[in-house]
């Protein structure tokens, strides 16, 4: 366990530095663009948020790249996939910190008294971004497991699920070193001061071609190539799935849990940002500890005598999902608050087509901003495996278990369909929301 912990920590540090370097190049390119170019670059950067971790891991494991044949190549692909999944979070962090490389600001900072102590302040954004990336990579489990990467999360999960750790307390003791490391990193994230700049200018034009090459390579590695591999082996399985209602109940369970948790966290994040902004660090800290540690702690919490009756209910999983996604939900809520101008909404209410404008200015951005939260919860494996009631299993834990034993057409087809579920849900939500607005307009005009 200690060997896996050290290896995982060193790997996380190296990949975090690479992720921060890539994110910085992409973010500086983002600042240099305007209009639609900026929008499409941001969309391309954030797209990995809605890619299931299981997709690339399953595709490359089916492609026979594993530790038994090409361990170095396996580590390389694992690193690319993890960087691709982590880069959006670092990009978001740099965006909210308003990271700048303005040379004049750096020069003025060096002229200050005791400037030798201001190195961390000058690079606070990069420290925060690297620490955040390291936390995310350090707690990764699903991709490492399917690609047979040596990782501390796999050792702990196998010990807990396989009975090597006989009690939940024993499992929690196994994560004492990773938990201490995570808490230390979270303390750094909270304590580092990151002064915001109101206007950002660039010292020189960034290398836009390099940024696009990074994003294209990561997107090819984490989504396009894996999806093509899976589709290639899925053609014969679609008919069988539709004919037998394969995993229909598991799919429905996962959708319900993801929707309920997303709605709850949307309401709670709005409450915290509007009423309790000073306590935001306390609300986001537990979610940054990773799904495995969080799942084990919630599991232990519901073993308390007076809570045992709730241990097999929907409450543990729903609570864990809310806590896990809360940091990103806070970011989404702040983004909505800062990007949606209240003056524009007020002006819209004075116009005849106020319902349409209100939908376009507020409801549509709110739905789109919360869509990644739903995707992350929908694709979750660890929390669902540890906490889902036995009567309500999720689809991805079932797929994860089957992927360890075989690759067949039915399984590949299920992965393809599971990836398409979030866009279908989004389309339905937008359609229902739009229909509701149109009905409201019609009712108003009729009166």
């Amino acid at each position: 366990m200690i060997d896996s912990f050290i290896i995982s920590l060193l790997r996380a540090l190296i990949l975090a530095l690479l992720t921060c370097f890539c994110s910085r190049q992409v973010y500086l390119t983002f600042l240099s663009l305007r209009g639609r170019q900026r929008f499409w670059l941001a969309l391309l950067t954030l797209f990995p948020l809605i890619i299931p971790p299981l997709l690339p891991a399953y595709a490359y494991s089916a492609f026979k790249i594993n530790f038994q044949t090409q361990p170095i190549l396996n580590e390389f692909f694992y690193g690319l996939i993890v960087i691709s999944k982590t880069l959006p979070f670092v990009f978001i962090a740099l965006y909210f910190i308003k990271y700048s490389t303005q040379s004049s600001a750096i020069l003025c900072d060096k002229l200050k008294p005791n400037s030798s102590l201001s190195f961390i302040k000058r690079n606070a954004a990069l420290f925060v971004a690297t620490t955040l990336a390291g936390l995310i990579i350090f707690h990764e489990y699903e991709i490492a497991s399917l690609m047979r990467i040596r990782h501390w999360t796999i050792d702990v999960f196998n010990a807990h699920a396989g009975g090597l750790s006989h009690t939940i307390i024993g499992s929690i003791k196994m994560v004492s070193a990773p938990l201490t490391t995570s808490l230390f990193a979270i303390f750094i994230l909270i304590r580092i001061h990151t002064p915001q700049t109101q206007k950002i200018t660039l010292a020189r034009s960034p290398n836009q071609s390099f940024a696009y090459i990074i994003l294209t390579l990561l997107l090819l590695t984490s989504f396009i190539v894996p999806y093509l591999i899976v589709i290639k082996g899925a053609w014969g399985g679609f008919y069988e799935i539709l004919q037998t209602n394969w995993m229909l109940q598991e799919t429905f369970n996962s959708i319900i849990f993801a929707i309920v948790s997303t709605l709850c966290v949307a309401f709670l994040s709005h409450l915290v940002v509007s009423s309790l902004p000073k306590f935001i660090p306390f609300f986001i800290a537990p979610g940054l500890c990773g799904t495995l540690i969080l799942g084990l702690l919630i599991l232990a919490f519901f073993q308390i005598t007076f809570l045992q009756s709730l241990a097999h209910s929907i409450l543990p999983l729903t609570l864990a999902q809310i806590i896990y996604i809360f940091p990103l939900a806070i970011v989404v809520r702040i983004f909505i608050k800062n990007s949606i101008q209240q003056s524009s909404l007020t002006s819209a209410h004075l116009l005849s087509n106020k319902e349409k404008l209100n939908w376009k200015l507020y409801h549509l951005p709110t739905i789109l901003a919360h869509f990644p939260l739903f995707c992350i919860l929908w694709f979750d494996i660890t929390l669902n495996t540890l906490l889902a009631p036995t009567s309500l299993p999720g689809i991805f834990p079932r797929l994860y278990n089957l992927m360890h034993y075989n690759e067949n057409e039915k399984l590949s087809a299920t992965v393809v369909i599971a990836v398409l579920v979030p866009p279908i849900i989004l389309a339905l939500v937008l359609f229902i929301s739009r229909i509701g607005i149109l009905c409201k307009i019609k009712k108003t005009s009729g009166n």
Side-chain angles (χ1 to χ4, degrees):
M1 172 65 190
I2 191 65
D3 294 340
S4 298
F5 166 71
I6 294 173
I7 291 172
S8 302
L9 188 61
L10 291 175
R11 183 195 293 116
L13 178 60
I14 294 170
L15 293 180
L17 291 171
L18 290 173
T19 304
C20 189
F21 171 76
C22 294
S23 299
R24 180 179 178 273
Q25 301 303 315
V26 173
Y27 181 70
L28 294 181
T29 300
F30 170 80
L31 293 180
S32 68
L33 300 177
R34 291 292 181 270
R36 289 188 176 274
Q37 286 185 320
R38 174 180 279 200
F39 170 79
W40 286 112
L41 179 67
L43 188 65
L44 188 63
T45 305
L46 299 177
F47 183 78
L49 287 175
I50 61 173
I51 298 175
L54 226 57
L55 175 64
Y58 171 57
Y60 291 127
S61 63
F63 203 54
K64 306 305 180 186
I65 300 176
N66 55 53
F67 72 99
Q68 294 176 337
T69 57
Q70 298 291 337
I72 296 177
L73 190 59
N74 194 42
E75 283 278 356
F76 175 75
F77 272 93
Y78 173 75
L80 284 180
I81 295 168
V82 170
I83 289 174
S84 174
K85 295 293 294 178
T86 310
L87 189 144
F89 296 99
V90 180
F91 178 85
I92 291 171
L94 293 177
Y95 175 82
F96 276 94
I97 295 170
K98 302 187 184 301
Y99 170 60
S100 172
T101 57
Q102 189 175 355
S103 56
S104 59
I106 295 175
L107 178 61
C108 292
D109 186 69
K110 288 181 179 180
L111 296 176
K112 291 180 181 179
N114 300 322
S115 60
S116 59
L117 300 177
S118 61
F119 174 79
I120 293 181
K121 285 186 178 181
R122 290 201 308 271
N123 298 277
L126 296 179
F127 275 109
V128 169
T130 305
T131 305
L132 179 63
L135 264 174
I136 295 171
I137 296 169
F138 183 62
H139 289 282
E140 198 282 318
Y141 166 74
E142 291 89 353
I143 302 173
S145 178
L146 277 178
M147 296 188 71
R148 300 174 177 90
I149 299 295
R150 190 173 183 185
H151 206 283
W152 72 268
T153 53
I154 299 174
D155 290 349
V156 174
F157 190 90
N158 290 342
H160 177 80
L164 298 177
S165 176
H166 298 291
T167 64
I168 297 174
I169 301 300
S171 298
I172 294 175
K173 286 181 180 179
M174 290 185 68
V175 302
S176 57
L179 179 59
T180 304
T181 305
S182 302
L183 292 176
F184 178 73
I186 293 170
F187 177 79
I188 292 175
L189 280 175
I190 294 174
R191 293 294 298 173
I192 288 181
H193 178 56
T194 51
Q196 295 188 357
T197 56
Q198 297 300 317
K199 185 177 180 180
I200 298 176
T201 57
L202 298 175
R204 59 181 182 277
S205 298
N207 190 337
Q208 295 184 10
S209 300
F210 184 59
Y212 281 109
I213 289 172
I214 290 173
L215 292 177
T216 304
L217 175 63
L218 294 178
L219 191 62
L220 280 170
T221 307
S222 63
F223 181 71
I224 297 176
V225 173
Y227 204 65
L228 292 176
I229 292 173
V230 175
I231 287 179
K232 184 180 178 181
W235 291 115
F238 290 113
Y239 177 75
E240 189 176 355
I241 289 174
L242 296 175
Q243 190 178 34
T244 60
N245 293 327
W246 167 260
M247 289 197 182
L248 184 62
Q249 185 60 50
E250 288 85 349
T251 302
F252 180 75
N253 295 340
S254 292
I255 290 174
I256 294 300
F257 270 111
I259 289 176
V260 170
S261 297
T262 303
L263 292 175
C264 290
V265 81
F267 170 74
L268 292 173
S269 60
H270 172 70
L271 186 65
V272 169
V273 170
S274 59
S275 304
L276 303 167
K278 293 183 179 179
F279 296 94
I280 286 178
F282 298 99
F283 287 103
I284 67 172
L288 295 174
C289 289
T291 52
L292 182 59
I293 290 177
L294 177 62
L296 291 173
L297 290 174
I298 295 291
L299 203 60
F301 177 72
F302 279 92
Q303 294 302 310
I304 299 174
T305 304
F306 60 90
L307 293 175
Q308 284 183 349
S309 60
L310 300 173
H312 299 289
S313 67
I314 63 172
L315 187 58
L317 178 57
T318 305
L319 179 62
Q321 287 186 333
I322 291 172
I323 294 174
Y324 170 61
I325 207 66
F326 210 84
L328 186 57
I330 290 289
V331 172
V332 167
R333 180 53 58 182
I334 294 174
F335 171 77
I336 293 172
K337 183 179 179 181
N338 293 341
S339 61
I340 298 176
Q341 299 294 329
Q342 190 61 40
S343 58
S344 300
L345 292 175
T346 303
S347 302
H349 280 284
L350 300 176
L351 302 175
S352 58
N353 58 345
K354 61 181 179 180
E355 285 82 7
K356 281 187 178 180
L357 288 174
N358 192 52
W359 185 84
K360 189 173 182 179
L361 292 173
Y362 181 77
H363 294 291
L364 179 60
T366 301
I367 292 171
L368 295 177
H370 284 92
F371 178 60
L373 305 185
F374 170 82
C375 291
I376 293 172
L377 296 178
W378 160 252
F379 296 134
D380 171 69
I381 293 175
T382 310
L383 293 177
N384 272 277
T385 302
L386 291 172
L387 300 171
T390 54
S391 59
L392 298 171
I395 182 173
F396 278 94
R398 286 287 303 277
L399 288 175
Y400 170 80
N401 291 331
L402 292 172
M403 286 174 187
H404 277 89
Y405 298 105
N406 59 356
E407 295 107 14
N408 54 47
E409 290 182 343
K410 187 194 293 188
L411 188 58
S412 297
T414 308
V415 174
V416 173
I417 293 174
V419 173
L420 295 176
V421 165
I424 293 172
I425 296 293
L426 176 62
L428 286 174
V429 171
L430 291 176
F431 177 75
I432 294 171
S433 174
R434 188 65 173 170
I435 291 297
I437 292 295
L438 293 176
C439 291
K440 190 175 181 180
I441 292 173
K442 188 176 181 180
K443 184 178 178 181
T444 304
S445 59
N447 294 333

